[in-house]
Amino acid sequence: MSLDVELQELAAQEGLDLDLLQRLVRHPGARRCVARRRDLPVELIEEIILLGAARTIAANSSMPAGVKEQLAGHPRPDVRAALAANASDDPPGLLVRLSEDADPMVREFLAMNERLDPPIRAGLAADPEPRVRVLVIEHWRDAPEEV
């Protein structure tokens, strides 16, 4: 087994000491595994983002509301899209903000999010981008007839 694989497996273990997690985030492969954890303190989340794993953090649905708010304004659309894919509306208004994102990729990923309220889905169903509208229909099982 390679050192990379061993570090990744270590990073996924529960109950790791914060000091060990801080050391693991300095290894690129282990960093992604650490970023998927549900027990990360905000300080470590910020360090992971600074080290270039913002997209992996954004895909982690257990991030605190403040981190989600920060990532919703991230300059890279792939980071915002990762957030949109599985975010809940915490902080309130986050999903509306993502539904109004200028990049269609973000709205496409949001259209696949199972946590959307009907008003947001309906707004996306009228999106100017055809791919967004298609994804809404594909993922909204009980869409009203007008949609």
Side-chain angles (χ1 to χ4, degrees), residues 124-146:
L124 290 171
D127 195 275
E129 185 64 39
R131 181 75 183 138
V132 174
R133 296 192 307 267
V134 167
L135 288 167
V136 169
I137 296 304
E138 289 177 356
H139 290 87
W140 194 0
R141 292 179 184 90
D142 57 347
E145 188 63 34
E146 63 271 11

Side-chain angles (χ1 to χ4, degrees), residues 1-118:
M1 188 181 295
S2 74
L3 179 60
D4 287 346
V5 172
E6 289 179 14
L7 288 174
Q8 291 170 10
E9 288 180 3
L10 176 62
Q13 290 183 11
E14 291 185 28
L16 291 181
D17 180 70
L18 179 60
D19 182 55
L20 180 55
L21 287 172
Q22 288 173 321
R23 293 189 346 228
L24 284 169
V25 298
R26 290 177 181 84
H27 183 275
R31 181 181 313 132
R32 286 187 290 277
C33 291
V34 172
R36 293 183 191 115
R37 297 176 65 95
R38 299 189 179 277
D39 61 348
L40 296 174
V42 173
E43 302 80 32
L44 192 55
I45 293 168
E46 290 171 356
E47 183 175 350
I48 293 169
I49 291 169
L50 288 173
L51 289 169
R55 187 176 65 198
T56 307
I57 285 289
N60 185 336
S61 62
S62 65
M63 290 299 102
V67 172
K68 291 177 187 178
E69 184 70 30
Q70 173 189 353
L71 293 171
H74 197 279
R76 287 184 21 213
D78 64 320
V79 171
R80 299 190 311 274
L83 176 65
N86 63 11
S88 61
D89 204 29
D90 181 30
L94 177 66
L95 297 177
V96 170
R97 180 178 177 186
L98 292 169
S99 74
E100 297 169 348
D101 196 283
D103 194 295
M105 179 176 63
V106 175
R107 300 190 312 274
E108 288 173 17
F109 275 81
L110 185 63
M112 295 183 275
N113 186 327
E114 299 294 325
R115 299 176 180 183
L116 295 181
D117 291 332

